[in-house]
Amino acid sequence: MKIGFIGGTGHIGEGLALRWGKDSKHEIYIGSRNDERGEEAAGKYREILDEAGYSNDISGGDNRFAVENSDVVVVCIPHKSVVETIRSLEDVFDCQVLISPIVPMYKSDGSFCCEDCCAAVELDDAAPDRVDVVSAFHTVPAKGLSEFDRPLDCDVVVCGDDSETKEVVFDLIDDIEGMRGLDGGDLSVSQLTEAMTPLLLNVSIRNDISHPTIKFISP
Ligand SMILES: NC(=O)c1ccc[n+]([C@@H]2O[C@H](COP(=O)([O-])OP(=O)(O)OC[C@H]3O[C@@H](n4cnc5c(N)ncnc54)[C@H](OP(=O)(O)O)[C@@H]3O)[C@@H](O)[C@H]2O)c1
């Protein structure tokens, strides 16, 4: 699979790129607003995997480069910049699957809160109709992903309207050891999974649990 990252120079982009990039399982395209920054980040990820003995196929450039080379694109940028960024890339989109890990949240009086909106639906509205949007990975801490050899033990809730497109994302989740994808429903209910991240962060801070994630169990 050819996987591109808009804003792949940041935390979640690095974590997912390392996980999917190792052993040349996928072709990875790191994007940035600045092509040199994208190339630099790709070089850093290549070096990390080379040093650990993993073959890899990672290249970098600007966000347009990442989109035009990919079948699946992860949108790894802050919520406030999503609509403007996606509209600016409108002409480069073909029929890619767009993955939204975007969490619309803010901090108030020491607690994280969710904004009254759904980032995945906003992304879907801003993207061309030929693109399919699926939301996933909100509750996976970037830090845990970046330690790319550490097995995980977590669930990822996936929301989207098209079952075939969701399958593409479930397959990518299966490629990450210790991660299980669960169907959370249509894109319209993605706000529920987006809201889990501020909850996790508040629990983390108040209970001194570093990088918490979620796992659904049947007691
Ligand atoms: N970090 C996590 O653990 C985590 C977990 C789950 C979900 N998420 C979500 O994933 C998304 C990315 O999180 P992150 O922690 O990776 O963020 P980040 O490291 O703060 O930023 C990611 C990248 O976004 C780009 N960016 C910053 N400001 C921008 C702007 N105004 N316009 C366009 N691009 C901009 C930057 O790339 P360039 O400067 O190279 O363009 C930056 O490297 C967020 O929506 C977040 O809610 C994060």
Side-chain angles (χ1 to χ4, degrees):
M1 186 75 71
K2 297 175 176 186
I3 310 173
F5 293 85
I6 295 174
T9 51
H11 300 104
I12 192 92
E14 172 171 352
L16 288 171
L18 292 175
R19 291 272 173 174
W20 283 326
K22 61 181 188 180
D23 286 334
S24 302
K25 229 181 228 173
H26 302 284
E27 283 172 43
I28 304 292
Y29 296 93
I30 302 300
S32 166
R33 286 167 294 179
N34 175 292
D35 57 353
E36 281 178 15
R37 215 160 40 234
E39 282 170 25
E40 208 174 287
K44 178 183 146 195
Y45 306 161
R46 276 197 305 272
E47 204 176 303
I48 292 171
L49 291 180
D50 285 344
E51 271 178 20
Y54 291 110
S55 64
N56 59 85
D57 187 351
I58 304 178
S59 49
D62 61 11
N63 286 326
R64 299 178 80 80
F65 163 85
V67 172
E68 70 197 359
N69 281 295
S70 304
D71 309 309
V72 172
V73 178
V74 193
V75 184
C76 305
I77 58 177
H79 170 242
K80 63 175 170 45
S81 329
V82 169
V83 169
E84 189 190 337
T85 302
I86 294 302
R87 289 202 178 129
S88 74
L89 295 167
E90 187 168 358
D91 59 304
V92 230
F93 284 112
D94 189 4
C95 295
Q96 289 94 343
V97 173
L98 267 191
I99 300 180
S100 170
I102 304 151
V103 178
M105 69 178 183
Y106 60 96
K107 206 168 181 184
S108 171
D109 291 334
S111 292
F112 288 94
C113 310
C114 28
E115 289 182 29
D116 187 16
C117 63
C118 176
V121 169
E122 287 178 356
L123 174 63
D124 192 42
D125 289 344
D129 289 345
R130 57 190 182 278
V131 165
D132 270 327
V133 175
V134 172
S135 78
F137 302 110
H138 308 92
T139 54
V140 185
K143 176 91 175 114
L145 288 170
S146 297
E147 292 167 15
F148 56 90
D149 262 341
R150 201 176 66 152
L152 299 169
D153 185 18
C154 66
D155 289 331
V156 170
V157 177
V158 176
C159 296
D161 295 335
D162 182 72
S163 52
E164 270 181 42
T165 313
K166 271 174 161 172
E167 279 309 320
V168 172
V169 179
F170 284 129
D171 286 346
L172 287 174
I173 292 170
D174 281 346
D175 281 341
I176 299 180
E177 195 183 344
M179 201 180 262
R180 177 177 67 163
L182 295 174
D183 193 342
D186 292 344
L187 201 69
S188 60
V189 295
S190 179
Q191 192 174 6
L192 298 173
T193 63
E194 294 170 12
M196 283 196 234
T197 306
L199 171 67
L200 282 170
L201 291 171
N202 292 332
V203 168
S204 164
I205 293 164
R206 284 158 200 268
N207 300 275
D208 198 19
I209 303 172
S210 54
H211 316 300
T213 182
I214 59 156
K215 190 165 177 68
F216 290 82
I217 58 165
S218 185

